[in-house]
Amino acid sequence: MKIGVLALQGAFREHCWMMEACGAEAAEIRKPDQLEDIQGLIIPGGESTTIGKLLIDWGLMAKIQKRAAQGMAIYGTCAGMILLAKDIIGSDQPRLGLMDTRVQRNAYGRQCESFEADLFVKEFGEEPVRAVFIRAPYIEQAGPEVQVLAEVEGKIVIARQAKFLATAFHPELTNDKRIHQYFLQMIQE
Ligand code: GLN
């Protein structure tokens, strides 16, 4: 399986290593034609306003939306979760808008208020997921087609809608491969 990792800005290298550790081929994506032969795309954490602007400047925005409509799976972490959302509270920044979610950016405060938490996720068994939140968003509200996989204090931090997956935190910064493996499973379903 070949998975693309959007490599415009942010934590993309760690996602490539994760994909390789899960037995998939990883490809850094910077040009529209590189989207043709991948089965899934990861949008990393970083700065969503910057990544969104670069998606337009580099001709990737419309092409990703087209590939998504053709069935390409997408996993967004943190800034990637923001870019997948239809609705970003108080912002008209560029976005893919593929998930029926309403997100709050920088929802837990400033960079220094970043934190780690243990998440219990039914799909991943008894062992909690150690989640690293870095100036993270959360999903405040989600439509009926969105499956909620985990919450922190009543706010959604892992969500899935058909072939789209979003986490508010950064699993590529830990050694826990379960979320990346789950994404690969979603593609095979
Ligand atoms: N605060 C960033 C944003 O709003 C996201 C942070 C991250 O991706 N770790 O885009």
Side-chain angles (χ1 to χ4, degrees), residues 11-75:
F12 53 87
R13 276 187 199 94
E14 291 81 357
H15 282 292
C16 291
W17 297 332
M18 254 319 189
M19 278 294 124
E20 281 157 9
C22 293
E25 187 190 337
E28 293 183 6
I29 303 293
R30 294 188 183 84
K31 293 186 191 145
D33 60 5
Q34 295 172 321
L35 294 162
E36 283 302 341
D37 66 338
I38 54 172
Q39 284 84 56
L41 176 70
I42 295 179
I43 303 178
E47 179 54 45
S48 60
T49 50
T50 305
I51 298 173
K53 185 179 177 299
L54 292 173
L55 281 174
I56 294 173
D57 292 353
W58 294 42
L60 285 156
M61 185 71 96
K63 182 72 181 183
I64 293 172
Q65 285 163 329
K66 184 174 164 208
R67 292 286 292 119
Q70 292 168 343
M72 181 181 74
I74 305 182
Y75 168 31

Side-chain angles (χ1 to χ4, degrees), residues 24-150:
E25 187 190 337
E28 293 183 6
I29 303 293
R30 294 188 183 84
K31 293 186 191 145
D33 60 5
Q34 295 172 321
L35 294 162
E36 283 302 341
D37 66 338
I38 54 172
Q39 284 84 56
L41 176 70
I42 295 179
I43 303 178
E47 179 54 45
S48 60
T49 50
T50 305
I51 298 173
K53 185 179 177 299
L54 292 173
L55 281 174
I56 294 173
D57 292 353
W58 294 42
L60 285 156
M61 185 71 96
K63 182 72 181 183
I64 293 172
Q65 285 163 329
K66 184 174 164 208
R67 292 286 292 119
Q70 292 168 343
M72 181 181 74
I74 305 182
Y75 168 31
T77 54
C78 203
M81 171 189 258
I82 297 166
L83 287 156
L84 280 171
K86 282 213 167 86
D87 191 1
I88 305 169
I89 295 170
S91 174
D92 60 1
Q93 68 192 81
R95 71 207 66 180
L96 291 159
L98 295 166
M99 288 181 77
D100 189 8
T101 52
R102 177 174 163 81
V103 298
Q104 173 69 60
R105 290 180 62 199
N106 306 328
Y108 300 97
R110 302 195 304 175
Q111 192 83 7
C112 59
E113 275 137 349
S114 297
F115 65 101
E116 295 186 22
D118 281 328
L119 303 181
F120 291 91
V121 187
K122 201 172 81 221
E123 281 73 5
F124 303 149
E126 304 252 295
E127 178 79 20
V129 174
R130 186 79 184 157
V132 180
F133 292 84
I134 304 171
R135 208 160 170 244
Y138 56 56
I139 297 175
E140 198 191 69
Q141 214 180 323
E145 278 162 35
V146 177
Q147 181 191 353
V148 175
L149 277 78

